[in-house]
Amino acid sequence: MEQDVESPSIIKQPKLPKQAREDLPKQLAERDRAKKIQRYVRKDGKCNVHHGNVTEKYRYLTDIFTTLVDLKWGLNLFIFVLVYTVTWLFFGFMWWLIAYLRGDLEHLSDNTWTPCVNNLNGFVTAFLFSIETETTIGYGYRVITDKCPEGILLLLIQSVLGSIVNAFMVGCMFVKISQPKKRAETLVFSTNAVISMRDGRLCLMFRVGDLRNSHIVEASIRAKLIKSKQTKEGEFIPLNQTDINVGYNTGDDRLFLVSPLIICHEINQDSPFWEISQAHLAKDELEIVVILEGMVEATGMTCQARSSYIGSEIKWGYRFTPVLTLEDGFYEVDYNSFHDIYETNTPACSAKELADMANRTRLPLTWSLASKLSQQGLPEAMQEDPDTKTSLDNQERIQQTERNGDIANLESESKV
């Protein structure tokens, strides 16, 4: 007896094109590799480093001003309000203590009694008098008298300490507000770096730009390769920093950043990318940190903007799309194309291999050029007349025979 068995429904996956099926594993592998790589500097310029097990924390208090400036805004404002409130409360308590010890609070209704501070009848009024003294408000209702020397001394101390507190806290807030960190928000770096040919040489390039009309004065650019290495002695150096020459010798690292600029690093024998090919770059774990420094034109303070590129963000065989166009009487920058790149023909080998191939092809070329030049050095009549060429060949043979005979004679004489 046959039984009907329900077969589960089979959902057929849509068949992808061959190119998409081949590229999909590569894209997934690149995505997984990019997730595993830990950045040393994030794309927004913040360093991804945390300091732990710091035992000598007293060093932060020795430079208390910088410590307060480096705090976050919420904590900074809290400390700002707390310092003023504590000083007002402390000196308010001191004014109340003087009034209490002198007996002013017991003679409030006695018109013949001369208090230290007129109209001070409790801690609240003492606190208000402390605020008026330190902030130099002076409403005129509560006034110190000349019959209280301890009050005069306390007034001098509060005036001096209040000025110091004002200078310290206001200075701290001023530096906090005027920090040029936010100026770096308008300094942009391209999302990707590219490697392609420029003037017959393999070059690493990235683009920088300034979104503001107020320019960065004396702008300069630096780049470093962050990559772990192992020495010949077996020592492992994590996150080793190697300088990348972006025009230090020629002055190209000093920028006139009015419009976006493409920063170029020529991959030569001194470059850390000399032996890196396209296949090697896809597997290597490295990071390029770029640092743009300069002075803010409005304030004169030094500003620094940072970014980084990991291996998956370095595109081999690409160039940047031009963003500068000439309009009617001015140049216009299209920042919509700032991060755009396009593919170009670029050899996949390393710069070292490319130089070796160029050297191998240059030697026969030199021979052919020398032969051409020797032929061009002869008179036209000699080049065209075959009899002349034959006579020249015979003369060369005779000279060669004579030279050989001289050599043989010299050898026979040396034997004798």
Side-chain angles (χ1 to χ4, degrees), residues 184-369:
E185 298 293 333
T186 53
L187 298 174
V188 292
F189 297 87
S190 58
T191 305
N192 298 301
V194 298
I195 294 178
S196 61
M197 300 296 294
R198 174 179 278 193
D199 295 331
R201 296 177 177 87
L202 206 60
C203 296
L204 169 70
M205 293 170 283
F206 58 91
R207 184 150 59 186
V208 296
D210 188 3
L211 302 179
R212 287 189 179 274
N213 292 326
S214 58
H215 310 303
I216 296 293
V217 181
E218 296 184 3
S220 62
I221 190 75
R222 292 184 292 130
K224 287 186 173 293
L225 174 66
I226 309 297
K227 182 182 177 182
S228 301
K229 64 174 291 187
Q230 189 170 7
T231 63
K232 297 179 180 179
E233 295 77 14
E235 179 188 4
F236 180 74
I237 305 176
L239 301 177
N240 182 59
Q241 299 184 12
T242 305
D243 282 333
I244 299 176
N245 190 359
V246 289
Y248 178 78
N249 300 329
T250 60
D252 292 337
D253 61 330
R254 294 182 289 273
L255 310 179
F256 182 51
L257 197 58
V258 178
S259 61
L261 299 176
I262 297 177
I263 310 301
C264 179
H265 163 67
E266 181 183 338
I267 303 178
N268 51 24
Q269 295 180 356
D270 299 328
S271 172
F273 297 93
W274 175 244
E275 298 180 357
I276 295 180
S277 62
Q278 183 177 6
H280 189 192
L281 181 64
K283 300 176 182 178
D284 206 354
E285 293 186 3
L286 55 87
E287 182 178 356
I288 299 174
V289 177
V290 292
I291 305 168
L292 176 62
E293 292 179 326
M295 290 190 302
V296 181
E297 188 178 25
T299 62
M301 301 183 70
T302 303
C303 172
Q304 185 181 91
R306 298 181 294 266
S307 186
S308 67
Y309 303 97
I310 58 177
S312 60
E313 295 171 347
I314 304 175
K315 304 299 182 183
W316 192 289
Y318 285 85
R319 289 178 184 166
F320 286 104
T321 303
V323 295
L324 194 64
T325 57
L326 177 60
E327 301 295 334
D328 188 10
F330 61 92
Y331 293 96
E332 184 177 0
V333 178
D334 182 16
Y335 278 99
N336 290 329
S337 305
F338 181 82
H339 303 283
D340 293 347
I341 57 178
Y342 65 94
E343 195 169 2
T344 182
N345 292 327
T346 304
C349 60
S350 65
K352 180 180 180 181
E353 296 172 348
L354 193 63
D356 292 340
M357 289 187 292
N359 291 332
R360 286 195 298 267
T361 57
R362 191 179 297 118
L363 192 58
L365 180 62
T366 307
W367 289 348
S368 62
L369 289 175

Side-chain angles (χ1 to χ4, degrees), residues 75-286:
L75 189 57
N76 201 298
L77 290 174
F78 174 75
I79 293 176
F80 183 84
V81 174
L82 181 64
V83 169
Y84 276 107
T85 304
V86 169
T87 54
W88 294 337
L89 287 172
F90 172 75
F91 285 104
F93 173 76
M94 295 301 295
W95 287 114
W96 175 84
L97 184 62
I98 290 174
Y100 176 77
L101 295 177
R102 291 184 78 256
D104 294 343
L105 300 179
E106 298 175 358
H107 300 81
L108 295 177
S109 58
D110 189 357
N111 294 329
T112 60
W113 181 265
T114 303
C116 183
V117 179
N118 290 329
N119 301 316
L120 194 150
N121 52 18
F123 180 77
V124 176
T125 55
F127 176 68
L128 293 175
F129 181 71
S130 173
I131 295 176
E132 295 176 19
T133 302
E134 189 166 335
T135 57
T136 65
I137 295 176
Y139 289 118
Y141 183 68
R142 279 171 287 272
V143 182
I144 189 173
T145 61
D146 56 354
K147 303 297 182 179
C148 183
E150 61 272 19
I152 296 174
L153 180 62
L154 182 61
L155 179 64
L156 293 175
I157 294 174
Q158 185 175 5
S159 298
V160 173
L161 291 181
S163 299
I164 295 174
V165 170
N166 287 333
F168 187 83
M169 299 308 299
V170 173
C172 179
M173 293 299 295
F174 175 77
V175 173
K176 183 75 174 177
I177 293 172
S178 60
Q179 274 186 318
K181 290 183 178 180
K182 295 301 179 182
R183 179 63 177 90
E185 298 293 333
T186 53
L187 298 174
V188 292
F189 297 87
S190 58
T191 305
N192 298 301
V194 298
I195 294 178
S196 61
M197 300 296 294
R198 174 179 278 193
D199 295 331
R201 296 177 177 87
L202 206 60
C203 296
L204 169 70
M205 293 170 283
F206 58 91
R207 184 150 59 186
V208 296
D210 188 3
L211 302 179
R212 287 189 179 274
N213 292 326
S214 58
H215 310 303
I216 296 293
V217 181
E218 296 184 3
S220 62
I221 190 75
R222 292 184 292 130
K224 287 186 173 293
L225 174 66
I226 309 297
K227 182 182 177 182
S228 301
K229 64 174 291 187
Q230 189 170 7
T231 63
K232 297 179 180 179
E233 295 77 14
E235 179 188 4
F236 180 74
I237 305 176
L239 301 177
N240 182 59
Q241 299 184 12
T242 305
D243 282 333
I244 299 176
N245 190 359
V246 289
Y248 178 78
N249 300 329
T250 60
D252 292 337
D253 61 330
R254 294 182 289 273
L255 310 179
F256 182 51
L257 197 58
V258 178
S259 61
L261 299 176
I262 297 177
I263 310 301
C264 179
H265 163 67
E266 181 183 338
I267 303 178
N268 51 24
Q269 295 180 356
D270 299 328
S271 172
F273 297 93
W274 175 244
E275 298 180 357
I276 295 180
S277 62
Q278 183 177 6
H280 189 192
L281 181 64
K283 300 176 182 178
D284 206 354
E285 293 186 3
L286 55 87

